Protein backbone atom coordinates (compact mmCIF):
# COMPACT_ATOMS: atom_id res chain seq x y z
CA UNK A 1 0.00 0.00 0.00
CA UNK A 2 1.31 3.42 -0.97
CA UNK A 3 1.08 6.18 1.60
CA UNK A 4 -0.02 9.55 0.29
CA UNK A 5 1.07 12.81 1.73
CA UNK A 6 -1.59 15.48 1.89
CA UNK A 7 -0.26 18.80 0.82
CA UNK A 8 -1.84 22.14 1.65
CA UNK A 9 -1.81 24.39 -1.37
CA UNK A 10 -2.26 28.06 -0.60
CA UNK A 11 -3.76 30.07 -3.41
CA UNK A 12 -2.23 33.50 -3.93
CA UNK A 13 -4.19 36.41 -2.56
CA UNK A 14 -5.25 38.67 -5.41
CA UNK A 15 -6.23 42.32 -5.22
CA UNK A 16 -4.74 42.89 -1.79
CA UNK A 17 -2.64 45.87 -0.75
CA UNK A 18 -1.07 46.06 2.71
CA UNK A 19 0.28 49.06 4.58
CA UNK A 20 2.64 48.42 7.47
CA UNK A 21 2.30 50.98 10.27
CA UNK A 22 4.79 51.84 13.00
CA UNK A 23 3.19 53.85 15.81
CA UNK A 24 3.13 54.29 19.58
CA UNK A 25 -0.69 54.51 19.58
CA UNK A 26 -3.08 51.94 20.98
CA UNK A 27 -5.19 50.06 18.44
CA UNK A 28 -8.39 51.99 19.16
CA UNK A 29 -6.57 55.32 18.77
CA UNK A 30 -5.12 54.32 15.41
CA UNK A 31 -8.52 52.99 14.28
CA UNK A 32 -10.10 56.32 15.22
CA UNK A 33 -7.58 58.31 13.14
CA UNK A 34 -7.86 55.90 10.20
CA UNK A 35 -11.64 56.20 10.26
CA UNK A 36 -11.43 59.98 10.36
CA UNK A 37 -8.66 60.46 7.78
CA UNK A 38 -9.62 57.73 5.31
CA UNK A 39 -13.40 58.17 5.68
CA UNK A 40 -13.94 54.52 6.61
CA UNK A 41 -15.68 52.86 9.57
CA UNK A 42 -13.41 50.26 11.15
CA UNK A 43 -15.23 48.21 13.79
CA UNK A 44 -13.40 46.25 16.47
CA UNK A 45 -14.16 42.53 16.59
CA UNK A 46 -12.88 39.84 18.89
CA UNK A 47 -9.12 39.52 18.79
CA UNK A 48 -7.45 37.13 16.41
CA UNK A 49 -5.08 34.42 17.64
CA UNK A 50 -2.41 32.46 15.86
CA UNK A 51 -1.79 29.87 18.56
CA UNK A 52 -4.63 30.07 21.09
CA UNK A 53 -2.43 31.92 23.57
CA UNK A 54 -1.58 35.30 22.05
CA UNK A 55 -4.39 37.59 20.95
CA UNK A 56 -3.99 40.41 18.45
CA UNK A 57 -6.39 43.30 17.87
CA UNK A 58 -8.67 42.98 14.86
CA UNK A 59 -10.81 45.62 13.12
CA UNK A 60 -12.85 45.36 9.95
CA UNK A 61 -14.76 47.61 7.58
CA UNK A 62 -16.59 46.35 4.50
CA UNK A 63 -17.60 49.14 2.11
CA UNK A 64 -20.09 46.84 0.37
CA UNK A 65 -20.29 44.59 -2.64
CA UNK A 66 -17.62 45.29 -5.27
CA UNK A 67 -15.96 47.80 -2.93
CA UNK A 68 -13.01 47.61 -0.60
CA UNK A 69 -12.79 45.67 2.63
CA UNK A 70 -10.34 46.95 5.24
CA UNK A 71 -8.72 45.10 8.13
CA UNK A 72 -6.57 46.67 10.80
CA UNK A 73 -4.61 43.92 12.52
CA UNK A 74 -2.24 44.30 15.46
CA UNK A 75 1.04 42.42 15.36
CA UNK A 76 1.95 42.87 19.05
CA UNK A 77 0.38 40.97 21.96
CA UNK A 78 1.96 41.90 25.28
CA UNK A 79 5.64 41.46 24.51
CA UNK A 80 5.17 38.96 21.68
CA UNK A 81 5.19 39.71 17.98
CA UNK A 82 2.99 37.68 15.65
CA UNK A 83 5.43 38.34 12.81
CA UNK A 84 8.47 40.55 12.80
CA UNK A 85 8.92 43.03 9.96
CA UNK A 86 11.70 45.41 9.08
CA UNK A 87 11.14 48.28 9.51
CA UNK A 88 9.40 47.78 12.86
CA UNK A 89 5.68 47.32 12.31
CA UNK A 90 2.95 47.22 14.95
CA UNK A 91 -0.11 47.14 12.65
CA UNK A 92 -1.15 46.06 9.19
CA UNK A 93 -3.85 47.85 7.25
CA UNK A 94 -5.06 45.33 4.71
CA UNK A 95 -7.10 46.61 1.76
CA UNK A 96 -8.88 43.97 -0.28
CA UNK A 97 -10.35 44.36 -3.75
CA UNK A 98 -9.12 46.69 -6.42
CA UNK A 99 -8.00 50.16 -5.35
CA UNK A 100 -6.71 52.76 -7.77
CA UNK A 101 -3.02 53.50 -7.32
CA UNK A 102 -3.73 57.21 -6.80
CA UNK A 103 -6.25 56.41 -4.02
CA UNK A 104 -3.79 54.00 -2.40
CA UNK A 105 -1.02 56.61 -2.46
CA UNK A 106 -3.41 59.18 -0.99
CA UNK A 107 -4.27 56.75 1.84
CA UNK A 108 -0.57 56.18 2.48
CA UNK A 109 0.06 59.94 2.64
CA UNK A 110 -2.88 60.47 5.00
CA UNK A 111 -1.70 57.67 7.29
CA UNK A 112 1.80 59.16 7.41
CA UNK A 113 0.27 62.50 8.47
CA UNK A 114 -1.40 60.99 11.58
CA UNK A 115 0.27 62.16 14.81
CA UNK A 116 2.37 59.41 16.41
CA UNK A 117 2.61 57.39 13.18
CA UNK A 118 6.35 57.13 12.80
CA UNK A 119 6.34 55.21 9.55
CA UNK A 120 3.82 53.80 7.07
CA UNK A 121 4.90 51.82 4.04
CA UNK A 122 3.70 49.44 1.34
CA UNK A 123 4.36 45.78 2.09
CA UNK A 124 5.45 44.01 -1.07
CA UNK A 125 3.53 40.72 -1.20
CA UNK A 126 5.87 39.22 -3.80
CA UNK A 127 8.90 39.83 -1.61
CA UNK A 128 7.35 39.16 1.80
CA UNK A 129 6.07 35.56 1.74
CA UNK A 130 5.36 35.29 5.49
CA UNK A 131 2.32 37.52 4.98
CA UNK A 132 0.38 34.65 3.30
CA UNK A 133 0.00 32.82 6.62
CA UNK A 134 -1.36 35.97 8.29
CA UNK A 135 -3.82 36.53 5.44
CA UNK A 136 -5.02 32.95 5.72
CA UNK A 137 -5.49 33.32 9.51
CA UNK A 138 -7.48 36.52 8.91
CA UNK A 139 -9.77 34.78 6.40
CA UNK A 140 -10.48 31.98 8.89
CA UNK A 141 -11.07 34.54 11.64
CA UNK A 142 -13.57 36.45 9.48
CA UNK A 143 -15.41 33.21 8.68
CA UNK A 144 -15.59 32.43 12.40
CA UNK A 145 -16.98 35.92 13.13
CA UNK A 146 -19.54 35.56 10.33
CA UNK A 147 -20.64 32.17 11.67
CA UNK A 148 -21.07 33.64 15.17
CA UNK A 149 -23.09 36.56 13.79
CA UNK A 150 -25.29 34.28 11.73
CA UNK A 151 -25.96 32.34 14.91
CA UNK A 152 -27.23 35.53 16.57
CA UNK A 153 -24.14 36.32 18.67
CA UNK A 154 -23.32 39.94 17.86
CA UNK A 155 -21.48 40.58 21.11
CA UNK A 156 -18.05 40.47 19.54
CA UNK A 157 -18.09 43.78 17.65
CA UNK A 158 -17.40 47.23 19.02
CA UNK A 159 -17.62 50.65 17.42
CA UNK A 160 -14.59 52.88 17.79
CA UNK A 161 -15.48 56.00 19.76
CA UNK A 162 -15.66 59.14 17.67
CA UNK A 163 -16.02 57.25 14.39
Amino acid sequence: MVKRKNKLVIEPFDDIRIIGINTSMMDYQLAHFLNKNLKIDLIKYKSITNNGEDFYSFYRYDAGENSNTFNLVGLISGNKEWVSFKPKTEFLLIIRNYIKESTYQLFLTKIKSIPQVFHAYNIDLDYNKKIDVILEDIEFHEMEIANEQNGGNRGSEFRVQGS
Side-chain angles (χ1 to χ4, degrees):
M1 182 147 114
V2 177
K3 280 190 172 184
R4 287 187 181 190
K5 289 186 179 182
N6 291 334
K7 194 175 186 180
L8 178 64
V9 178
I10 299 175
E11 295 295 324
F13 293 92
D14 293 331
D15 282 342
I16 291 183
R17 303 290 303 264
I18 301 177
I19 298 173
I21 302 172
N22 174 260
T23 181
S24 61
M25 283 188 274
M26 300 296 293
D27 60 339
Y28 63 90
Q29 294 170 312
L30 180 58
H32 167 76
F33 279 107
L34 292 173
N35 284 343
K36 182 179 169 187
N37 290 8
L38 305 182
K39 307 284 190 263
I40 60 176
D41 189 21
L42 290 165
I43 297 172
K44 183 173 178 116
Y45 288 86
K46 72 178 189 173
S47 296
I48 189 171
T49 184
N50 67 334
N51 60 11
E53 295 176 16
D54 302 314
F55 294 88
Y56 303 89
S57 59
F58 181 81
Y59 292 76
R60 184 172 191 271
Y61 168 61
D62 187 343
E65 191 174 338
N66 299 322
S67 296
N68 296 110
T69 299
F70 297 82
N71 294 114
L72 177 65
V73 181
L75 296 178
I76 308 292
S77 176
N79 293 328
K80 292 188 179 179
E81 287 183 319
W82 186 352
V83 175
S84 179
F85 286 96
K86 289 191 180 179
K88 186 160 178 52
T89 305
E90 283 85 14
F91 295 95
L92 300 177
L93 180 65
I94 301 163
I95 306 168
R96 283 184 273 163
N97 297 330
Y98 175 77
I99 184 170
K100 290 191 299 188
E101 183 63 27
S102 59
T103 303
Y104 181 77
Q105 291 303 321
L106 181 62
F107 280 7
L108 197 53
T109 300
K110 287 182 175 188
I111 293 168
K112 289 177 181 181
S113 74
I114 295 172
Q116 295 178 325
V117 167
F118 306 122
H119 188 56
Y121 66 99
N122 178 59
I123 293 181
D124 185 345
L125 299 176
D126 293 329
Y127 173 74
N128 204 322
K129 294 301 181 190
K130 59 187 163 185
I131 201 74
D132 286 348
V133 175
I134 292 173
L135 293 174
E136 188 174 282
D137 286 347
I138 288 168
E139 279 196 14
F140 284 125
H141 187 65
E142 286 185 331
M143 286 189 295
E144 182 181 307
I145 289 169
N147 287 339
E148 288 176 3
Q149 288 180 342
N150 289 337
N153 179 6
R154 295 195 54 95
S156 61
E157 84 180 41
F158 306 95
R159 287 233 176 258
V160 178
Q161 286 291 358
S163 314

